[in-house]
Amino acid sequence: FLIQMLYFISELQITYSENCLEESIQLVKTVAQYYSAFKSFVIVHDYYRVDYIAAGFSLLCKNLRKQVIFTGGLDPLNTPN
């Protein structure tokens, strides 16, 4: 039994303003761009605002046929260890 996993990392330039809706719209556009290429999406966002971003995303993307998983991280993916 062999499982093949294809992934792509796209790091968005977020302004960290108080307007979480703008960030949600940016994420929706990115998912829409790659929607046909992947079976599901994992979005890593900062720990403190992931709930607001996920709520905005879910309001903008109703009836999706693919899984979108939000998870919060304290450090950006490109932070050296």
Side-chain angles (χ1 to χ4, degrees), residues 24-38:
S24 296
I25 291 170
Q26 189 176 7
L27 286 172
V28 168
K29 288 179 180 179
T30 303
V31 168
Q33 181 180 357
Y34 297 103
Y35 190 79
S36 63
F38 298 98

Side-chain angles (χ1 to χ4, degrees), residues 25-69:
I25 291 170
Q26 189 176 7
L27 286 172
V28 168
K29 288 179 180 179
T30 303
V31 168
Q33 181 180 357
Y34 297 103
Y35 190 79
S36 63
F38 298 98
K39 293 183 179 182
S40 61
F41 297 88
V42 176
I43 297 175
V44 180
H45 201 280
D46 68 6
Y47 175 75
Y48 299 105
R49 297 175 349 134
V50 69
D51 50 349
Y52 296 111
I53 301 302
F57 186 93
S58 69
L59 291 173
L60 294 168
C61 293
K62 294 185 179 186
N63 300 323
L64 284 180
R65 296 187 166 262
K66 298 183 179 185
Q67 294 178 348
V68 179
I69 302 165

Side-chain angles (χ1 to χ4, degrees), residues 8-23:
F8 172 75
I9 297 175
S10 176
E11 187 171 346
L12 303 178
Q13 298 300 319
I14 303 296
T15 60
Y16 292 105
S17 66
E18 291 298 319
N19 190 351
C20 293
L21 182 59
E22 289 178 14
E23 293 179 36

